[in-house]
Amino acid sequence: MDALQAHIESHRSHHSGWLRAAVLGANDGLISTGSLVLGMATAHASPATILLTGIAGLAAGALSMAAGEYVSVSSQVDAERADARLEAHALREHPEAELDELAEIYVRRGLDPSLARQVAEQLTAHDDLGTHLRDELGIHDLQRARPVQAGLASALAFTSGALPPVLLAWLWPGTGLAVAIVVSTLILLALLGYLAERVAGGRGLRGALRVLSWGALAMGATALIGHLFGVSLA
């Protein structure tokens, strides 16, 4: 038993759900809020206006991410529940056909027919619905949709990404805010991309370059808009 526990592996794919949401939220918060602050700075807005824009962007973005993720994951939950009801009905009405279907799945995965039938019978006796949801439909406990957790995680991730540009807009003492926003945001984006790929099992550099490229493009676009249409809002 000790040897088995020592051999238990932690697979990268087990973290894919929360990693995707965390990286998406933090990158979105950093890029969108940083770009908003940069656009206002290049439009020669007053410090108070720049700060208010950043705070408004943080609040709106965090709530939008939470609502969007909650609605999206809730739709996934509805689909999973509908599939579970359909599968439960099939198991009640056609148990032999469902058993044959399950055995055929195991045959396609490499078991010989007699062993596949035996495995299907034993797993069906243990948990028929759970077995069919997992092996027929690919619905796993590790990947079950959880709307509330997903919404809160997305809001927190967005807020963590949006805070640096907002704090910089609040604390920066004078001129040069636009340059400071660009430099700090690009550094943080590269760091986020690097860490995300490292956690996923990669080397990190490609992830950093990928996020950095898109972030630079977004910030460049908002800086250009601010420069072209900039007026003093003080």
Side-chain angles (χ1 to χ4, degrees):
M1 187 65 178
D2 292 339
L4 177 61
Q5 290 178 342
H7 183 68
I8 292 176
E9 301 164 329
S10 177
H11 294 283
R12 304 287 183 176
S13 60
H14 293 171
H15 309 305
S16 60
W18 68 262
L19 179 61
R20 180 196 65 82
V23 171
L24 175 63
N27 282 344
D28 193 9
L30 188 54
I31 293 174
S32 61
T33 309
S35 297
L36 275 174
V37 172
L38 176 63
M40 296 301 291
T42 54
H44 310 295
S46 67
T49 301
I50 295 173
L51 178 59
L52 179 60
T53 300
I55 294 173
L58 185 156
L63 292 174
S64 176
M65 286 287 291
E69 193 73 8
Y70 179 83
V71 171
S72 174
V73 177
S74 293
S75 298
Q76 182 181 344
V77 171
D78 293 339
E80 290 178 356
R81 289 174 177 170
D83 284 340
R85 289 194 298 269
L86 183 63
E87 200 62 33
H89 176 76
L91 286 168
R92 288 193 305 269
E93 299 297 324
H94 310 287
E96 283 301 319
E98 289 296 309
L99 187 62
D100 292 340
E101 184 180 23
L102 192 61
E104 180 60 28
I105 290 173
Y106 298 143
V107 169
R108 291 198 300 267
R109 292 180 181 177
L111 297 183
D112 64 75
S114 61
L115 180 58
R117 182 75 181 191
Q118 183 180 2
V119 171
E121 289 174 348
Q122 291 188 12
L123 289 177
T124 298
H126 174 69
D127 180 10
D128 55 354
L129 180 58
T131 299
H132 278 268
L133 290 177
R134 180 183 65 250
D135 293 335
E136 182 183 343
L137 301 176
I139 300 176
H140 299 264
D141 288 337
L142 287 173
Q143 299 171 340
R144 284 292 180 92
R146 295 174 176 84
V148 175
Q149 293 91 326
L152 290 175
S154 293
L156 288 174
F158 185 97
T159 301
S160 68
L163 272 176
V166 170
L167 291 175
L168 195 59
W170 179 35
L171 299 173
W172 191 259
T175 59
L177 175 61
V179 175
I181 289 290
V182 170
V183 172
S184 61
T185 300
L186 291 181
I187 290 174
L188 289 173
L189 283 174
L191 182 60
L192 277 174
Y194 177 83
L195 290 176
E197 191 177 1
R198 290 291 295 174
V199 171
R203 305 177 72 176
L205 295 179
R206 185 169 55 183
L209 181 61
R210 183 167 52 228
V211 177
L212 191 61
S213 300
W214 285 104
L217 181 63
M219 299 193 75
T222 54
L224 180 61
I225 292 172
H227 177 73
L228 292 178
F229 297 95
V231 294
S232 178
L233 302 178

